[in-house]
Amino acid sequence: MANEEKKLVEIENLRKYFPIKGTPGPGVQAVQDVSLYIKKGETLGLVGESGCGKTTLGRTILRLYEPTGGKIIYDGQTIFDNPLDKEGKPLGKAKSVNMLPYRKKMQIIFQDPSASLDPRMTVGEIIGEAIDIHKLAANKKDRADMIKGLLARVGLNTEHANRYPHEFSGGQQQRVGIARALAVKPEFIVCDEPISALDVSIQSQVVNMLEDMQAEMGLTYLFIAHDLSVVRHISNRIGVMYLGSLVELGESYELNRHPIHPYTQTLLSAVPVPDPQLSRTRKRIILEGDVPSPMNPPSGCRFHTRCPYATKKCSEEMPKFKEHEPGHWAACHLLDK
Ligand SMILES: Nc1ncnc2c1ncn2[C@@H]1O[C@H](COP(=O)(O)OP(=O)(O)O)[C@@H](O)[C@H]1O
Ligand code: SF4
Ligand SMILES: [Mg+2]
């Protein structure tokens, strides 16, 4: 169970833009001032359509991408701070820390296991590299035992440490990716669509394994998916992103029963509901138009070009992300009345 009080990860107004060479302006505005926290031991699900900034947000929290602005606090320690003014100009000098000790605490499991494993290294070398970087093994035998233990823990044959990634199936490769993340005994793992590239038949095995490990090791997850149906069972809370912005966040059950942001309502209307009573009240809403480009996002509420409830104010003013009911946050002018 998640510890109610303790926040492990906190971000405030986190922003990540990718400047485009030779093009004026801020470039791709992939993550726009996202604020949230993740409690120790919980799973925070993060959903939204492809391209809305989920991966960028996950990697920026880990500082695998250098943030453009905002603040990241890990276990009470500020690991990045660069407050920006309204025009996006830094208000002072950015503060950041040496990430090496945090690299051990914060890990990532990638969406595409085959692309995330070096094809020239054996799986033993891949897992051993993580152990070596953080000097976790006392000697050679200790190191070999650790690798074997990790392979066994993720359900792989311990004799296969000398094989190369291409000799494994997609599901087995993802297990290697998980073993690599676990090798450093992390506290926090960004699971970036860890099952999207896998056969449906093995997706639930991998999810179950991640849940077992969480219970065993007290891990905290940011679990990214493009589909609410994947995260709703495994997440304590869920955040919904649209075009770089976090539009809603709440307890998983509450957000599924009672979504308050128009975009979440459209997302949920597309998910089959097992509860017949809820299913009768939930009309399918089809969104018109394409997702706008994050290089040139709409003014005001980024959703206004597709929102069925948009008013003039929506195109002029960006709605604030506010707590509307205890633990239930959203950014929409409709809710401010
Ligand atoms: N390294 C990068 N350089 C430039 N643009 C990028 C880079 N990585 C992601 N983007 C852009 O940022 C936006 C968000 O991408 P991403 O975070 O991968 O979305 P998601 O994971 O939700 O599919 C997309 O428009 C994508 O094209
Ligand atoms: S602020 Fe306006 S455009 Fe944005 S979600 Fe709310 S009603 Fe729709
Ligand atoms: Mg992604």
Side-chain angles (χ1 to χ4, degrees):
M1 271 304 280
N3 178 331
E4 289 300 324
E5 304 308 323
K6 188 92 175 121
K7 294 171 185 170
L8 185 63
V9 179
E10 285 175 82
I11 57 172
E12 288 168 21
N13 297 317
L14 194 63
R15 177 182 294 191
K16 179 61 186 174
Y17 291 175
F18 295 106
I20 307 288
K21 271 203 184 115
T23 313
V28 181
Q29 302 176 31
V31 170
Q32 182 66 35
D33 302 354
V34 172
S35 301
L36 55 78
Y37 59 83
I38 311 175
K39 290 182 265 189
K40 221 168 219 176
E42 85 166 334
T43 297
L44 180 72
L46 186 66
V47 295
E49 288 161 284
S50 177
C52 72
K54 305 179 298 296
T55 295
T56 305
L57 179 60
R59 292 186 182 191
T60 306
I61 292 174
L62 302 182
R63 286 191 57 207
L64 295 174
Y65 291 154
E66 204 51 15
T68 305
K71 189 170 184 176
I72 308 171
I73 302 165
Y74 185 84
D75 209 4
Q77 305 292 317
T78 300
I79 60 171
F80 182 87
D81 191 11
N82 185 23
L84 305 176
D85 68 11
K86 277 202 174 127
E87 271 74 53
K89 298 214 170 61
L91 286 165
K93 202 172 165 291
K95 275 179 239 148
S96 61
V97 297
N98 171 14
M99 283 300 288
L100 186 64
Y102 294 95
R103 296 265 166 259
K104 184 182 164 312
K105 298 171 196 264
M106 308 160 93
Q107 285 287 309
I108 182 164
I109 298 168
F110 297 93
Q111 176 170 3
D112 181 350
S114 63
S116 75
L117 304 174
D118 188 334
R120 294 157 305 182
M121 290 167 80
T122 65
V123 303
E125 286 165 351
I126 289 169
I127 298 168
E129 188 181 43
I131 295 173
D132 297 342
I133 288 172
H134 297 282
K135 303 186 176 67
L136 300 175
N139 51 49
K140 266 190 172 171
K141 181 175 179 306
D142 190 25
R143 183 177 183 275
D145 288 345
M146 284 168 88
I147 294 169
K148 272 192 180 172
L150 284 157
L151 287 172
R153 181 62 194 82
V154 297
L156 293 172
N157 189 329
T158 54
E159 310 293 309
H160 291 174
N162 292 324
R163 297 197 177 178
Y164 289 88
H166 75 264
E167 297 175 70
F168 294 88
S169 69
Q172 290 170 328
Q173 288 173 351
Q174 193 56 300
R175 288 169 192 267
V176 175
I178 295 170
R180 173 179 56 188
L182 291 178
V184 300
K185 300 195 174 69
E187 300 165 344
F188 171 58
I189 305 184
V190 172
C191 305
D192 188 3
E193 301 203 38
I195 58 166
S196 323
L198 307 181
D199 286 345
V200 175
S201 58
I202 52 168
Q203 288 185 347
S204 57
Q205 289 175 19
V206 171
V207 169
N208 291 342
M209 196 172 75
L210 289 169
E211 285 194 289
D212 290 348
M213 287 170 176
Q214 178 172 44
E216 236 171 77
M217 300 172 212
L219 296 167
T220 303
Y221 289 154
L222 177 66
F223 199 106
I224 298 174
H226 58 265
D227 187 346
L228 256 166
S229 62
V230 174
V231 293
R232 68 168 158 198
H233 301 296
I234 56 167
S235 304
N236 301 90
R237 296 184 302 139
I238 294 176
V240 179
M241 280 183 84
Y242 181 80
L243 201 61
S245 295
L246 187 65
V247 297
E248 183 163 357
L249 189 147
E251 295 285 334
S252 179
Y253 181 79
E254 174 64 13
L255 186 125
N256 275 284
R257 292 288 296 195
H258 179 48
I260 56 178
H261 191 281
Y263 178 64
T264 314
Q265 290 166 354
T266 62
L267 268 191
L268 272 164
S269 81
V271 179
V273 199
D275 177 343
Q277 214 182 341
L278 197 61
S279 164
R280 268 198 299 279
T281 58
R282 188 163 282 171
K283 269 196 294 191
R284 193 179 163 126
I285 311 163
I286 311 280
L287 276 186
E288 304 207 345
D290 295 327
V291 184
S293 162
M295 267 189 78
N296 188 18
S299 58
C301 172
R302 286 186 165 193
F303 188 48
H304 88 258
T305 54
R306 303 173 80 200
C307 178
Y309 311 107
T311 62
K312 191 161 167 283
K313 186 181 182 187
C314 301
S315 58
E316 291 166 351
E317 223 179 283
M318 190 180 260
K320 288 203 171 69
F321 192 65
K322 291 188 201 158
E323 194 170 18
H324 293 278
E325 288 150 38
H328 198 159
W329 300 69
C332 173
H333 292 309
L334 279 184
L335 301 166
D336 289 342
K337 284 175 194 148

